[in-house]
Each structure stands twice: as C-alpha cells, then as structure tokens.
C-alpha cells in the first residue's frame, strides 16, 4: 500500500512534463535515455514545487522526508526547512553505506546516478536556486539574473549531456546559453504568476530604464512601457538561444533532434509572446504544437 502510494505520487509529479515548453523525454529517444531524463525531470520538478510552495495537499512529501504529517509549507522558513530535508535525503544517494532516501522520486533517481556516474553538484545547485528564491525577490541587473540562472537552469543542461554521454567543456558552455535562454523565456511567460509570489525576474535596472513600476506588472494587461521592456528581454533570450546553436550542430542523430526540440521550444514561446504583442500579464502565452515543430525544423535547417 505504501509503495503504491509513493509510485502514484511520483507519477503525479512526472505528469507535469507535458506542460513544459519543450519535450522532456520524447518517444524517439532510447528507452534508457527517456527513463534517465524523466528521473532528472522529476527531481528538478519536485525541487521547484518545494521552493514555490506548490506541493499537493496531504503532506506526503513532508512524510517521505521525515518531517511529519503536519508540516506546513506556507511560510518561507518552512520551505527552507523542507529544502534542507530534501538535500539531506539527496545526499543519501551519494553517501554509500547509509540508509536509502525516503522520497520515491529520489529512489527513482538512484539507478540513473549509478548508470551515468552523476555527481551531486548539479542536483545541489538546483536546491540552492530554490533557497535563493526564498531570500532574493528582485534582481538589480541582467548580470545578477544570469548568476541566478547558473544555479536554476544551467545544471539541467549539464545533466542532459552527462546522461547522453556527450559532455565536454565546450558543449557545457553552449548548453549554459540554451538553458539560461530557456529560463528567461519562462520568466517572461510567468511575470504575473511570479509577481503573485512576490518575485520579479525582470532586472530592476531595465525596469527603471523603461519607467516600469511594480504596479504596472500587477495590472490586468501590459501598458506600452511594459511591452517595450518585455520586447528587450525577449531579444536577450533569443540571442542566448542562438548562441547555443552550435550545441545542436555538434551532435548527431536523435540527440540532435532532442536538443533542437529544446531550443525550438524556447523560440516558439518567444514567437507566441511576440504574437501577443508582449502582453503576458493576462496569462502566459503558449506555443502551439505546430509552432514548436516549425521552430525545430528551422533549427535543423540552420544546422544541417
């Protein structure tokens, strides 16, 4: 009964992959790659859910982490404590000879870590990014935002390369551009949602340049200043995705298609944002499947 509950809980977290801007583990990949990518996705998704306070009701995650059934996640301190507990559970995967982790998503991650020889650093960075989210609510300039993305986004690219056996220093640098670009695209989609969490990922320096206030971001729709600001930030994201294009060119076969899906997904969302006139405040613009496929094809043509 306990195992069935844990498996169902893990599946519920993994099901969120269908809401992402790009295919996480498409069916054309080898089965082991798909399994490993989904294990890493489940980890990253759960860390974000802890940091955002989005865990499902019932306290199952707290129970798996040994925090007790009444543990709450409404306050920032509670989230920090849960992130600490999750890190301690993660470390059990890497500390040989200790008890196994209690959380089912970490248990599912164990074969991937063993099979791919993964190190703890990228996993720990994702936890640290969510700790930062509890403490840092605004970013002074673009450079500060890039530093945040080094924790919140770039480790995922490193893990993808490690899983596919294609990691090199040069590819990791290109992957950093892609992952940072994708993170900024997501921030642009979610301006209203992030503000509801008292977070703003638009650099304060740029907001001042365009005379955008926090009240402007809380409006039902974007005024001309907000749209102009979003257009500039979208162009920055586009340039980052383009800077990562050599990553797609450096690989072949199904991996090339997967990576083109990542960059194409980001470009398709940027197209949707542009099509919405850079008014993201009513809700996040989403790419259509057709738009995603068009951008993937364009990426492959550029690299072909």
């Amino acid at each position: 009964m306990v195992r069935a509950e844990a498996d169902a809980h893990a599946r519920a977290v993994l099901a969120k992959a269908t809401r992402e801007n790009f295919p996480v583990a498409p069916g054309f990949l080898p089965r082991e790659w798909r399994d490993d990518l989904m294990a890493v996705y489940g980890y990253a998704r759960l860390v974000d859910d802890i940091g955002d306070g989005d865990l499902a009701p019932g306290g199952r995650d707290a129970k798996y982490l040994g925090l007790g059934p009444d543990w709450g996640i409404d306050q920032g301190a509670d989230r920090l404590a849960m992130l600490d507990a999750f890190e301690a559970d993660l470390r059990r995967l890497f500390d040989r000879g200790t008890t196994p982790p209690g959380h089912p998503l970490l248990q599912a991650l164990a074969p991937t870590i063993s099979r791919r020889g993964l190190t703890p650093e990228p996993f720990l960075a994702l936890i640290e990014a969510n700790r930062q989210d509890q403490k840092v609510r605004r970013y002074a300039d673009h450079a500060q935002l890039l530093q945040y993305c080094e924790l919140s986004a770039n480790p995922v690219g490193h893990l993808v390369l490690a899983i596919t056996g294609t990691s090199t220093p040069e590819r990791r640098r290109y992957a950093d551009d892609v992952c940072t670009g994708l993170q900024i695209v997501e921030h642009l989609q979610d301006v209203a949602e992030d503000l509801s969490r008292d977070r703003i990922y638009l650099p304060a320096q740029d907001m001042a340049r365009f005379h955008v206030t926090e009240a402007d971001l809380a409006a039902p729709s974007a005024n001309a200043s907000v749209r102009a600001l979003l257009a500039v930030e979208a162009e920055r994201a586009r340039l980052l995705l383009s800077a990562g294009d050599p990553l797609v060119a450096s690989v072949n076969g199904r991996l090339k298609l997967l990576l083109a899906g990542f960059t194409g997904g980001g470009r398709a969302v940027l197209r949707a944002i542009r099509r919405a006139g850079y008014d993201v405040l009513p809700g996040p613009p989403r790419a259509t499947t057709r738009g995603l496929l068009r951008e993937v094809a364009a990426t492959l043509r550029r690299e072909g």
Side-chain angles (χ1 to χ4, degrees):
M1 178 66 179
V2 174
R3 183 70 259 169
E5 178 192 81
D7 290 344
H9 182 62
R11 286 195 298 272
V13 175
L14 293 173
K16 297 179 182 180
T18 59
R19 307 175 201 168
E20 300 296 334
N21 288 325
F22 47 82
V24 174
F28 60 76
L29 294 177
R31 177 61 183 270
E32 278 197 350
W33 282 12
R34 295 202 312 271
D35 290 346
D36 290 343
L37 289 170
M38 287 304 292
V40 166
Y41 173 80
Y43 173 89
R45 181 69 269 162
L46 181 60
V47 174
D48 282 351
D49 285 350
I50 294 172
D52 291 342
D54 286 344
L55 297 183
R60 286 174 296 181
D61 296 279
K63 179 182 68 176
Y64 295 140
L65 297 174
L67 292 174
D70 298 326
W71 194 267
I73 58 167
D74 291 334
Q75 303 298 320
D78 290 337
R79 295 178 195 173
L80 286 168
M82 186 167 278
L83 288 168
D84 289 345
F86 191 65
E87 178 180 330
D89 212 31
L90 169 72
R91 290 186 181 277
R92 295 187 181 100
L93 287 177
F94 295 96
D95 296 338
R96 299 185 182 278
T98 64
T99 57
H103 201 287
L105 282 170
L106 290 177
Q107 295 167 12
L109 186 61
T112 296
I113 288 174
S114 176
R115 183 161 48 236
R116 306 299 177 186
L118 303 180
T119 62
E121 286 76 17
F123 299 103
L124 292 171
L126 295 174
I127 293 175
E128 191 57 35
N130 278 274
R131 284 200 184 99
Q132 183 166 319
D133 277 333
Q134 312 311 311
K135 304 170 185 176
V136 180
R137 304 288 181 167
R138 307 292 188 272
Y139 290 85
D141 52 33
H142 188 62
Q144 278 194 2
L145 187 63
L146 293 182
Q147 290 173 355
Y148 168 73
C149 291
E150 288 179 9
L151 295 172
S152 67
N154 298 0
V156 176
H158 298 180
L159 288 167
V160 170
L161 292 175
I163 286 170
T164 57
T166 55
S167 182
T168 66
E170 184 177 41
R171 285 184 177 134
R172 286 195 295 273
R173 287 195 298 272
Y174 290 137
D176 287 348
D177 288 331
V178 171
C179 291
T180 294
L182 291 172
Q183 178 77 89
I184 291 174
V185 169
E186 185 176 336
H187 288 162
L188 298 182
Q189 282 180 293
D190 295 337
V191 169
E193 179 182 339
D194 290 334
L195 185 62
S196 73
R197 304 181 194 274
D198 191 28
R199 297 175 189 163
I200 297 177
Y201 295 103
L202 299 170
Q205 185 180 72
D206 296 342
M207 289 177 62
R209 172 187 167 196
F210 286 93
H211 306 288
V212 171
T213 67
E214 294 190 15
D216 293 330
L217 300 182
S221 62
N223 61 28
S225 295
V226 172
R227 292 171 191 245
L229 170 62
L230 268 288
V232 167
E233 304 303 335
E235 176 62 11
R236 279 178 165 166
R238 187 193 68 78
L239 291 173
L240 281 164
L241 293 175
S242 295
D245 277 344
L247 177 64
V248 180
S250 73
V251 298
N252 296 298
R254 287 176 283 188
L255 180 56
K256 179 184 284 286
L257 189 55
L258 175 69
L259 298 182
F262 292 166
T263 58
R267 288 187 171 109
V269 173
L270 288 176
R271 182 184 291 270
I273 291 172
R274 185 168 63 251
R275 191 167 55 244
Y278 298 100
D279 186 5
V280 301
L281 300 186
R286 300 290 183 189
T288 63
T289 300
R290 182 177 179 181
L292 170 62
L293 293 175
R294 181 171 57 240
E295 292 296 341
V296 170
T299 298
L300 293 173
R301 283 196 299 272
R302 279 194 294 271
E303 306 305 334

